[in-house]
Amino acid sequence: MDLQKIDKVALLSQCPLFSGLSQWELKSISQLMRLSEYKKDDIIYREGQPGDTFYVVASGRFEVSVGADNKKVLAYLKRGDYFGEMSLLSHKPHSATLRALSDSLLLELKKDDFEKTVASNATIALEISRRLTTRLTHGEAHSRLLLKSDVVSVFSNRRHTGCTEFAMNLAAMLFRETHQKTILLDMSPSGQEISRRLQIPPKVPIAHFHNIENMPADSLAQFTTQHPVGFEVLNVSHTKDDAVGTRIISPLLNHLAINYRFILIDLPEEMDETVFKTFSQSDSIYFVTDSHINSINETREIILDLEKNLSFTDDKISIVIHEVLMGMRTTLATKKELFSRKQCYSLPPVPDMEERERENPSPYVVEEPGAEYSRTVRHIARRISNNLIGLALGSGAAFGLAHVGVLKVLQREKIEIDIISGSSIGSIVAAHFAVGQSMHEIERMALDIHNQFRFAKLLDFNLFPVRGLVPGRLIRKHIDNQLGHKTFEETRIPLKIVSANLSSRQMLVYESGFIADAVRASISIPAIFDPILYKGDWIVDGGILSPLPIRALRDAGANKIIAVNVFPTPKDTLERRIMEAELGRKEEELIRRRGIFIRAARRVRKFFGRRVLPNIFDVLVNTIQAMEYEISEIEGIQADVLLRPVVPQASWMDFYKPAVFIRRGEEETMKELSKIKALVSQQNN
């Protein structure tokens, strides 16, 4: 970059700190300032280092954070923002770390020059003093209001993979989900591929932007066109090996970052220096391919080559596979084998999407929001915007039937869940929801077990119990039939089922294979159900290690967590004991008025009851639930909204009283509905 062509006076005039100064005053300061280049991920200074420079952002994006091991982002800075003055004024080390998020330019004023400028010019001193005093008084409030800008590249090395259609639909979904400014860059050789498909009158393609750093923030408005859905389109004509494109792409993206929250780039399919430079400046990259094995392998090779030259973590690169092979899906095992821990998405084929969008300028996700294609794109959009919503359904035996009531309200209120996890009883309800069964169906199946006989029909018993009293074959078959023999690859939304590995003493998260097998493992209450042998290890109830499976959601990328903890608190347990004592007292009163034989029979039942109850099931389950309650209290701290639909008067074994639990789940969710809606509508950085 030719720094001699950068107008430092123009840049200073766009900084709020200096905007009230005259041209002469601006020129005086600019002559003392040095213009410095920084590459993406460069550290300008670290927390605790001494401060000796005042900085003004001329071009680029920066992240202000504290903490090394547990980093917390305080602010995002863009052109016109300034920093470093706090250390200069207080003579203390920097209180935060500053990192470049893109190739950037900074105007730097050394400490001595900063002090001389303030001391030698009364007007400048007054202006700086007034503004910096305000900054000291109000802290970083101004910078905190700035949202992060995300640069997202979409690339395919082949034509007709649906790459451009995906980019257009992702732009539409990002705007609809966040209502924040979104722009889609068309970098095809003609610069008009997207405009033609969306029936937008094309603007003049932009071949280059010389010295865009000097231009006003709104200088690109004449070249952009707004789609009726809300996002904007900018045609950036680019031809292979165009050296100009390599030089301008970073300044162009930095310029767009001033005004736009999301910058999507539909890249040409031929890899060149400009495309590579765009990759290096991107916050995330989505590689689009069809499901032919040769195409997938080619994509894998491109990613491996890219990773050799750029330091991208697995969460920054994602793969989008358009499934085209006669209804067969790319399995999770194949995705993991080829792409390791990278996020992979499958998009179903949509017949004639390209022709459809030529006839109708409205993107497919707008016209068909409930379609599988649209749901997947929405999931990706929420992941990009850090607004992915996860629902954790905890363990708790019969108490967990309250999960059905929770889901009824969420579905009725049209609150979309992106990822769902379940542990023990929570895994059963989560599985039914994830495969796409309606809440009417799920509630009907729960209500169908309305007496003890129906519940007992699901239990088979070992004649010689060695590992457990119940083999669990009947309940596994029952669940599999209800789920339609579905696998994890066939779910409507991602499903995480949590179990506990006795051999390694670690949480095990199921996310592939038959769902019924995972559920059967997750409900394996020790000593009651036979444990499951999985890859040489014994697997038991998920509640043993994670009764409230929030961590599984966090690991899957969920940013907003709704969790349902159904365990009674000690206070609830005490309330139940008081209620039982009161019922016993009233029953004794009634018995006293009866005949001698009835009173004698009552004494006999009471005598044997004290020797039989609590029975082995009660001892085991209550012991385990006492432990699970303590763990779930700790896990629940991580939830953004925690629901507690507890039924104090109920028992863990009241599976044949589903209506009571379901109703309580509805009541608790309605009570916290305003919090849930506030969480969903809140926009994260």
Side-chain angles (χ1 to χ4, degrees):
M1 184 180 296
D2 189 355
L3 299 184
Q4 299 299 320
K5 294 182 179 180
I6 303 297
D7 188 344
K8 292 191 287 185
V9 174
L11 291 174
L12 279 179
S13 67
Q14 296 171 35
C15 174
L17 182 62
F18 303 104
S19 59
L21 302 181
S22 67
Q23 286 294 304
W24 179 85
E25 290 168 327
L26 289 171
K27 188 173 182 180
S28 297
I29 298 174
S30 70
Q31 289 174 347
L32 298 173
M33 287 186 139
R34 182 183 67 178
L35 197 59
S36 299
E37 286 186 271
Y38 292 89
K39 296 297 183 183
K40 183 181 179 183
D41 292 324
D42 280 354
I43 301 296
I44 288 69
Y45 57 70
R46 295 186 184 277
E47 184 179 355
Q49 288 182 342
D52 62 354
T53 307
F54 173 71
Y55 304 88
V56 176
V57 181
S59 174
R61 299 176 291 138
F62 294 86
E63 173 192 84
V64 183
S65 65
V66 293
D69 298 328
N70 189 20
K71 187 174 80 171
K72 178 183 178 183
V73 177
L74 299 180
Y76 296 101
L77 307 180
K78 303 173 186 176
R79 188 172 83 173
D81 282 307
Y82 52 91
F83 50 92
E85 79 286 353
M86 301 295 284
S87 293
L88 293 177
L89 290 171
S90 64
H91 304 288
K92 293 181 179 179
H94 289 296
S95 59
T97 297
L98 195 87
R99 180 172 69 95
L101 297 178
S102 65
D103 290 357
S104 305
L105 291 175
L106 287 177
L107 285 166
E108 300 179 351
L109 186 64
K110 288 298 180 181
K111 181 178 180 179
D112 290 344
D113 291 328
F114 178 82
E115 292 174 348
K116 288 176 184 176
T117 300
V118 174
S120 63
N121 190 301
T123 303
I124 295 174
L126 181 62
E127 182 68 17
I128 291 178
S129 176
R130 183 178 65 82
R131 290 186 179 269
L132 294 185
T133 300
T134 302
R135 186 79 171 268
L136 281 168
T137 304
H138 299 289
E140 301 291 332
H142 170 69
S143 295
R144 287 171 189 270
L145 294 175
L146 294 174
L147 288 174
K148 177 187 178 186
S149 288
D150 279 296
V151 177
V152 182
S153 288
V154 180
F155 175 81
S156 177
N157 65 313
R158 292 189 176 206
R159 287 183 176 271
H160 309 299
T161 60
C163 182
T164 295
E165 291 81 5
F166 170 71
M168 291 189 297
N169 281 283
L170 182 57
M173 190 60 81
L174 274 169
F175 183 79
R176 286 174 67 88
E177 284 293 310
T178 66
H179 300 289
Q180 294 177 1
K181 292 195 71 175
T182 302
I183 190 164
L184 176 59
L185 269 65
D186 180 357
M187 287 187 65
S188 62
S190 69
Q192 298 179 18
E193 291 293 321
I194 292 173
S195 294
R196 283 200 296 263
R197 295 189 188 196
L198 294 178
Q199 299 180 20
I200 295 175
K203 296 284 185 178
V204 178
I206 302 172
H208 61 275
F209 295 91
H210 291 293
N211 300 326
I212 194 172
E213 297 90 345
N214 298 327
M215 297 182 186
D218 61 351
S219 59
L220 296 181
Q222 59 181 315
F223 301 112
T224 62
T225 304
Q226 187 170 40
H227 186 273
V229 169
F231 66 92
E232 297 176 47
V233 177
L234 175 63
N235 302 319
V236 184
S237 181
H238 164 68
T239 56
K240 191 175 185 298
D241 298 322
D242 183 356
V244 175
T246 307
R247 293 197 303 271
I248 68 164
I249 191 63
S250 293
L252 174 60
L253 295 176
N254 288 336
H255 195 87
L256 290 169
I258 299 171
N259 292 321
Y260 293 95
R261 171 69 175 89
F262 302 106
I263 304 164
L264 267 71
I265 311 165
D266 183 27
L267 291 166
E269 65 268 13
E270 291 191 52
M271 181 76 73
D272 62 11
E273 288 298 320
T274 301
V275 172
F276 185 82
K277 184 67 173 179
T278 306
F279 283 153
S280 73
Q281 299 303 299
S282 299
D283 297 296
S284 56
I285 307 171
Y286 287 80
F287 289 88
V288 183
T289 177
D290 59 44
S291 55
H292 293 284
I293 191 62
N294 289 339
S295 302
I296 294 176
N297 278 324
E298 284 181 15
T299 299
R300 178 174 178 270
E301 292 302 317
I302 291 171
I303 293 173
L304 290 174
D305 288 341
L306 187 66
E307 289 178 323
K308 291 177 183 177
N309 298 288
L310 296 176
S311 56
F312 272 101
T313 55
D314 282 341
D315 63 326
K316 299 299 182 183
I317 295 178
S318 300
I319 298 88
V320 178
I321 302 173
H322 271 95
E323 305 289 353
V324 296
L325 293 176
M326 300 188 326
M328 296 183 65
R329 295 293 186 101
T330 308
T331 64
L332 184 64
T334 301
K335 293 174 183 175
K336 283 195 170 184
E337 180 182 351
L338 293 173
F339 299 109
S340 185
R341 295 175 59 85
K342 294 178 180 65
Q343 192 69 40
C344 293
Y345 301 93
S346 288
L347 287 175
V350 178
D352 306 320
M353 178 184 283
E354 187 174 332
E355 290 76 7
R356 181 174 181 157
E357 289 184 339
R358 283 193 179 121
E359 296 172 2
N360 183 357
S362 186
Y364 180 80
V365 295
V366 176
E367 294 296 310
E368 302 289 344
E372 182 185 352
Y373 183 100
S374 303
R375 293 198 307 272
T376 304
V377 174
R378 179 174 59 240
H379 184 105
I380 295 171
R382 286 185 172 181
R383 179 180 288 273
I384 291 171
S385 62
N386 293 321
N387 289 298
L388 211 58
I389 300 170
L391 177 65
L393 302 183
S395 57
F399 299 126
L401 291 170
H403 296 320
V404 178
V406 173
L407 285 168
K408 278 183 68 179
V409 174
L410 294 180
Q411 191 172 77
R412 186 170 67 233
E413 296 293 328
K414 295 181 170 44
I415 294 171
E416 296 284 348
I417 300 300
D418 299 303
I419 310 175
I420 192 167
S421 66
S423 183
S424 197
I425 180 68
S427 73
I428 300 176
V429 181
H432 284 288
F433 184 77
V435 299
Q437 291 177 342
S438 70
M439 288 315 303
H440 175 74
E441 291 178 284
I442 297 173
E443 184 177 24
R444 179 186 54 77
M445 285 185 283
L447 293 174
D448 192 47
I449 305 175
H450 53 75
N451 58 50
Q452 293 171 322
F453 175 72
R454 283 182 176 271
F455 176 65
K457 283 176 64 177
L458 300 176
L459 302 178
D460 45 354
F461 290 90
N462 283 315
L463 186 59
F464 300 104
V466 177
R467 299 187 180 93
L469 299 171
V470 178
R473 288 186 292 269
L474 289 180
I475 197 165
R476 191 265 176 214
K477 182 179 179 181
H478 175 75
I479 292 169
D480 195 33
N481 289 334
Q482 287 185 328
L483 295 174
H485 315 291
K486 293 283 183 68
T487 65
F488 281 83
E489 285 77 11
E490 299 174 275
T491 57
R492 187 174 181 272
I493 62 172
L495 169 66
K496 311 295 177 183
I497 290 181
V498 174
S499 292
N501 187 323
L502 280 183
S503 305
S504 65
R505 298 184 182 180
Q506 291 181 325
M507 182 178 75
L508 173 66
V509 180
Y510 284 91
E511 52 189 2
S512 64
F514 284 100
I515 299 172
D517 289 336
V519 172
R520 169 62 185 85
S522 187
I523 64 172
S524 299
I525 302 172
I528 292 181
F529 283 94
D530 282 353
I532 298 297
L533 188 62
Y534 176 77
K535 295 183 178 179
D537 293 334
W538 290 108
I539 311 301
V540 296
D541 193 306
I544 299 299
L545 293 178
S546 184
L548 198 58
I550 293 174
R551 197 176 97 196
L553 295 176
R554 293 287 187 200
D555 291 346
N559 315 97
K560 300 175 178 180
I561 305 293
I562 304 167
V564 188
N565 184 353
V566 298
F567 287 114
T569 65
K571 181 181 177 182
D572 296 322
T573 305
L574 178 60
E575 182 181 334
R576 181 186 175 193
R577 289 177 62 185
I578 293 172
M579 290 175 62
E580 287 176 344
E582 180 64 21
L583 288 173
R585 187 185 63 77
K586 290 180 179 179
E587 189 175 357
E588 289 288 349
E589 289 289 335
L590 290 173
I591 292 296
R592 287 196 193 100
R593 299 172 190 169
R594 302 295 182 91
I596 187 172
F597 294 108
I598 295 177
R599 292 199 301 271
R602 163 70 175 171
R603 290 192 187 95
V604 171
R605 285 201 306 272
K606 194 172 180 180
F607 175 81
F608 284 104
R610 279 198 289 262
R611 281 150 180 77
V612 174
L613 294 175
N615 59 37
I616 186 172
F617 288 97
D618 270 328
V619 171
L620 283 170
V621 175
N622 282 313
T623 301
I624 291 169
Q625 287 197 347
M627 175 191 69
E628 291 179 335
Y629 165 76
E630 295 294 338
I631 298 174
S632 65
E633 288 297 298
I634 297 171
E635 290 185 309
I637 296 171
Q638 304 174 56
D640 297 292
V641 176
L642 181 63
L643 304 179
R644 306 195 74 131
V646 176
V647 183
Q649 66 273 24
S651 165
W652 67 267
M653 65 181 84
D654 289 343
F655 288 97
Y656 52 90
K657 299 178 182 178
V660 175
F661 297 105
I662 294 172
R663 184 168 60 252
R664 183 70 190 93
E666 291 183 77
E667 292 169 353
E668 178 68 11
T669 311
M670 288 302 298
K671 175 185 166 188
E672 303 292 341
L673 191 58
S674 60
K675 289 184 182 179
I676 296 171
K677 288 185 174 181
L679 175 69
V680 172
S681 60
Q682 166 195 321
Q683 291 301 314
N684 290 337
N685 288 339

